[in-house]
Amino acid sequence: MAKKYNLYISSDNNSEIYELDIDSFDTSTIFSVENLQDITKRNDTITFDIKLLRTKANNIALGNLFDITAFSSPKYNQQLGHNYIPNQLVNCQLFEDNTQLLKGKLQIVDFDKSTYNAAITGEVVSFMGNIKDRYLHELDSLSSTTLYNYTYITPTWTSSTSPYLFPMLDFGIDYRTGNYDPYDNNYEFNNLRPAFYLKSYLNAIFKGFRFDQSKKIYTQKKEDGTILINNTIDTSKIDGIINNVFIPNNFENFTRSVEGVVSKILMSTPAQSGNNLNLQTINGVASAFNSSIDDFWIVGTKTNFKLWESSGGGGVTQLSMPTLKPRDKYINCVLNMRFRLVMPVGTVGTWLVGLADVAGANKLEQGQLKHYTKVQKTDINISQEFNMEFDLQVDNLQGEFAFVFFREDQSAKDSKNETGIEFDNIAIQVGKENTTTEISVNYNNTIDVFNYIPKDIKILDFLKSIMQMFNLYLYQDKDIPNRFVLDTYNNFYKNIITLNPSNATDWSDKIEWSKAKFKTNIDLPKSYSFKFTEDGDMMNNFYQETYKSNFGDYSILNENGTEDDNTVELIFAPTINLSHSKDLKNLPIIYESDSLMGEKKPFKSNIRILYNNGLKPVSPSYEIKNGDTMIGYRPSYNYCSMLKWSASDVFEGMLLFDIPFNLMTYDFTNIDKSKSLFNLYYTNRIKELTDNNLTILEVEIFLTKEDIEQLDFTKPIYVENEDGNAYFKLLEVNYNNNTLLSKCKLQKITI
């Protein structure tokens, strides 16, 4: 009689192969529909404990471990046999009736006079282990460069083939100068940031990762630069649901990274300006130290500026004070400043030296100092020289700056500085060697859209939320290795929801009825809740404060429930569009403000999810501006929303569990609750769970290897005994082998 199980071990290069004699082991494997629904509960590995007797074959393969004189040495190329190392992991394959059960690693745990005790760890689904600790921003298979300009961006609004788009959202960015209404009909170009479609993310996630030893990073690229394809995903069953769904950028600012020195200027021929009272400016010429000065600073002058004003109203007017105005007010950088300062005899005290923001001011005051250091002179009898260099981490460089100094501890009795104070070697530098500066992306810059994927979002959390949002099931294709399929609950269970008897599998003769147990649904939750993550943008704050709930959430009460609330909570925050009389573009709002329609403040938001609805006409037409420069004049805009609309303005769906109390737009009367996430994807499931006739059958069943190979959770199970018959939905199978009973859970179909 042929052996039921065959176990082989092999060396890393497969040059040595041995078959081991198996005594006994537990091959219990759990197949559960819960693993298809909640990917965080899927196991990537399965472990068997195996007992190996002290047979001749096992002794040879395992190097006679019972022989206390045995010795392993790295000088031998052999890995198994006489040179076997007991604590090493070796390759193994386990077969049942010539069918491979698993491929993995074997390790000897301990051994005695008669037995080797071993453990086998085998891969069940390598996909889960591959993505377990990975993040969205590591999906470098999505790398793609483009020019950041009007010509390349606007076609993405209507493209059916691009993996990404630059959606028209309002992040609160505005580079205009002078007096302007931030809520007017214009649109600031720098609010356009790249965003990948959901389908692009799914395709990338299933490609897998490898660790690049040379770069010490995880990557989706092979050593030759081509893309890995460890697995593939079939989204054909849900394409109608996720088409045009995208994940917007969620950064505070839209920046590019620049290594090292960005810009450095010198103040040549510095001289004090003023009347030697407590407030001073250094009057010199700002000279470019490198060619990037014009890209970063606007060098100007401040005229009719009072450096100091006495109580009598007098003062000195500076007619030519040099100023520096950054072109990028949202920069995040290291600001390095250097100067030499000589304090004469007869002075002591503390001076503040650095950059003061003089924008909109006509005199200098202490509160205007923004980026500075302190210099303290302690000896009145000698002059002192200070060679100062200091770094400041700056995340907001808005303003118009003058290089100034003033005495912190000025007193009425000591109201004058000595005229002998000298400055030279003044340098102002943005960025340093071995530092990274985040500079706003400029028009016509070349960017890699991959760099703008939301950061610090675990792939596992992202995928789980997508599956929860649309109530999806993830399973492996039986016919195509390494291919996964995503399907909705309604489609996955279509033969059960409509109870198609012709597709049922009859297990009546397999059940051991003496061990059957029935459970009723007495442990029901008091309610089922479906929630988004809260966020602090202007619109979400207003909605939460006004309606005491989160935008798009939904709860359903269960009068028969006794347990705690059953909650589905997504990692996504809701995004609310705003319509108002000044600007008829119905734009999603992703910025902070202290009040509704208040000052816009860019911020880092939680991850969002939206539909791209293509173009929507608007009248009057509006200007797309890059600061004060007009770069486009359009009669339509890119309409993005959590609501889905056809080209002819027919409502088609929503990325919300329920209709909110107020949409804050002019669309409110046109939407249909039947197309909410709950109604489309959860109604049948909740109806089933709360049915008074729901029963769980726990039984032990004689299942063959063929039964396991053909296991299908989508088909009804027909069961008949002397007390009647019914159809069931299969929930779980705990399979050992075809000589032992398998434990199963089945749920009675009540439709």
Side-chain angles (χ1 to χ4, degrees), residues 163 165 195-201 239-248 466 469-470 572 608-612 641 644 655:
L165 77 156
F196 282 96
Y197 284 106
L198 174 56
K199 190 167 182 176
S200 298
Y201 277 110
D239 279 348
I241 297 171
I242 67 170
N243 276 346
N244 300 325
V245 173
F246 69 92
I247 311 300
I466 293 298
M469 175 172 264
F470 302 106
F572 301 106
R608 309 297 182 93
I609 186 167
L610 292 164
Y611 284 115
N612 172 25
S641 172
K644 184 178 182 180
L655 295 171

Side-chain angles (χ1 to χ4, degrees), residues 598-727:
E599 180 186 354
K600 297 180 180 181
K601 301 173 185 177
F603 87 121
K604 187 180 186 302
S605 72
N606 289 319
I607 190 172
R608 309 297 182 93
I609 186 167
L610 292 164
Y611 284 115
N612 172 25
N613 291 309
L615 295 179
K616 186 173 184 177
V618 63
S619 180
S621 296
Y622 63 97
E623 293 180 355
I624 294 183
K625 307 195 77 170
N626 182 22
D628 296 321
T629 304
M630 189 180 81
I631 59 174
Y633 192 70
R634 296 188 62 92
S636 62
Y637 70 99
N638 175 221
Y639 177 32
C640 301
S641 172
M642 295 192 80
L643 307 179
K644 184 178 182 180
W645 300 88
S646 71
S648 55
D649 274 347
V650 176
F651 177 67
E652 295 183 336
M654 66 178 86
L655 295 171
L656 303 168
F657 290 108
D658 194 17
I659 296 178
F661 293 104
N662 188 349
L663 285 176
M664 303 298 292
T665 70
Y666 302 129
D667 302 317
F668 188 80
T669 59
N670 299 324
I671 66 175
D672 182 354
K673 185 173 182 175
S674 68
K675 295 178 181 177
S676 69
L677 292 175
F678 176 82
N679 280 279
L680 286 176
Y681 308 118
Y682 277 94
T683 301
N684 287 325
R685 183 179 173 191
I686 300 301
K687 180 181 178 182
E688 170 190 293
L689 291 174
T690 56
D691 192 298
N692 291 330
N693 294 307
L694 183 143
T695 304
I696 303 296
L697 173 60
E698 295 183 355
V699 292
E700 295 189 14
I701 302 179
F702 289 101
L703 294 177
T704 66
K705 179 169 63 68
E706 290 74 22
D707 290 328
I708 295 301
E709 290 175 350
Q710 299 170 13
L711 204 62
D712 191 342
F713 287 99
T714 70
K715 293 183 177 181
I717 302 295
Y718 177 73
V719 173
E720 180 179 355
N721 63 14
E722 60 185 9
D723 297 313
N725 60 76
Y727 290 92

